[in-house]
Amino acid sequence: MRRYRKDTPVHRPRDPLLPVRQLPPSDLRRRGTELGLLLGKEEEARRFLAFYGNVTGSVAGVVDAIPVEDRVPVYLESWHDYKSAGKGSGYDEKIELAGGRNVFGENPVEYPVVDPEAVISRNPDVIVKIVGAGELAFGGYGDDDQSSFETVCRTIGNRPVWDRISAVRDGRVHIIHSDVIGGPEFFIGTAYLAKWFYPDLFTDLDPRAVHQQYLEEFQHLDYDLDEHGTFVYPA
């Protein structure tokens, strides 16, 4: 097992299914199986996809029973301010997998830049902000300081008139790093989303434990998430 040391630069773990990194979630299982056959790694692919299926299945088993009209309205924003997720985008699909209703899910633009007033009028119950790229390129595996996440969360709450939004009033603004919501590891982020959307329904779901198991069993890393890394806020 590769051991993490504080004085060693850390990059994001390699993806076990690297060539499918940019595929939408719905394609991961099929392409993962194909790549396992192509690369002679059928057993590794089978184990990873079983783990992936167990996590996503445990979420689906709960949220699939929630009527569409009762699903939590969610505003997702990328590391670019006011850039959200439209109909059919990868992040739109991830919100849906976690049982949320994307408040811009009807927008035909894949990743639209939206008007702040439009967010206010849609009044989401949960706001999810992604960091880890662009001007918000901090956090992840090589950064143990959570203060930047706290600043981003506070900045969103301080936007003009956003104190009228339910998510801001109720303290349901969440920050998540792209390392756990993009690519094949998106299932870790989906677990966090489900926990944030429906905390009363997912009392037994532990996304951090899912992440830790992923690192140990599939990345073979000696990396303790209780001591290192910043991936979500509030933690």
Side-chain angles (χ1 to χ4, degrees):
M1 182 176 288
R2 291 173 289 164
R3 181 174 296 276
Y4 169 76
R5 297 191 332 181
K6 180 63 179 176
D7 58 352
T8 301
V10 175
H11 305 285
R12 66 178 315 282
R14 59 180 178 81
D15 294 316
L17 303 172
L18 184 61
V20 302
R21 179 162 175 74
Q22 299 304 324
L23 287 180
S26 56
D27 284 349
L28 189 143
R29 183 176 293 279
R30 176 180 61 83
R31 289 299 300 275
T33 301
E34 292 174 353
L35 281 167
L37 290 169
L38 179 66
L39 301 173
K41 300 287 186 180
E42 295 97 327
E43 178 59 21
E44 290 89 339
R46 185 196 65 77
R47 287 181 54 249
F48 173 74
L49 291 172
F51 175 64
Y52 157 82
N54 183 58
V55 176
T56 56
S58 67
V59 172
V62 174
V63 302
D64 285 354
I66 302 173
V68 173
E69 62 272 18
D70 294 335
R71 295 195 170 200
V72 171
V74 179
Y75 169 61
L76 181 140
E77 184 175 286
S78 79
W79 44 88
H80 298 294
D81 285 353
Y82 308 112
K83 189 169 187 178
S84 192
K87 183 178 181 179
S89 66
Y91 287 121
D92 179 53
E93 187 175 349
K94 292 163 189 174
I95 292 171
E96 182 177 354
L97 287 172
R101 177 174 59 80
N102 180 8
V103 297
F104 289 104
E106 83 291 348
N107 194 308
V109 178
E110 190 173 26
Y111 292 106
V113 176
V114 301
D115 189 321
E117 291 289 337
V119 182
I120 296 170
S121 66
R122 284 164 170 77
N123 192 29
D125 285 348
V126 177
I127 293 174
V128 178
K129 173 75 172 180
I130 301 173
V131 300
E135 294 183 357
L136 303 182
F138 47 74
Y141 292 96
D143 185 354
D144 299 344
D145 184 3
Q146 200 173 63
S147 62
S148 295
F149 282 57
E150 296 171 355
T151 298
V152 171
C153 189
R154 185 167 56 251
T155 299
I156 290 172
N158 289 337
R159 288 175 178 175
V161 199
W162 277 41
D163 57 348
R164 298 180 183 175
I165 298 175
S166 293
V168 175
R169 289 201 315 267
D170 298 339
R172 301 186 72 184
V173 178
H174 298 276
I175 316 300
I176 190 166
H177 196 277
S178 58
D179 276 353
V180 294
I181 196 64
E185 63 277 271
F186 80 88
F187 63 92
I188 299 169
T190 300
Y192 275 111
L193 296 185
K195 186 90 170 181
W196 294 338
F197 297 171
Y198 304 103
D200 293 340
L201 298 181
F202 287 104
T203 55
D204 294 331
L205 179 62
D206 187 345
R208 181 185 286 265
V210 170
H211 192 179
Q212 188 69 61
Q213 185 177 354
Y214 169 74
L215 292 175
E216 292 176 359
E217 292 190 17
F218 300 99
Q219 298 298 334
H220 308 292
L221 281 173
D222 182 11
Y223 184 99
D224 189 345
L225 291 170
D226 289 331
E227 297 181 2
H228 303 295
T230 49
F231 300 94
V232 295
Y233 180 84

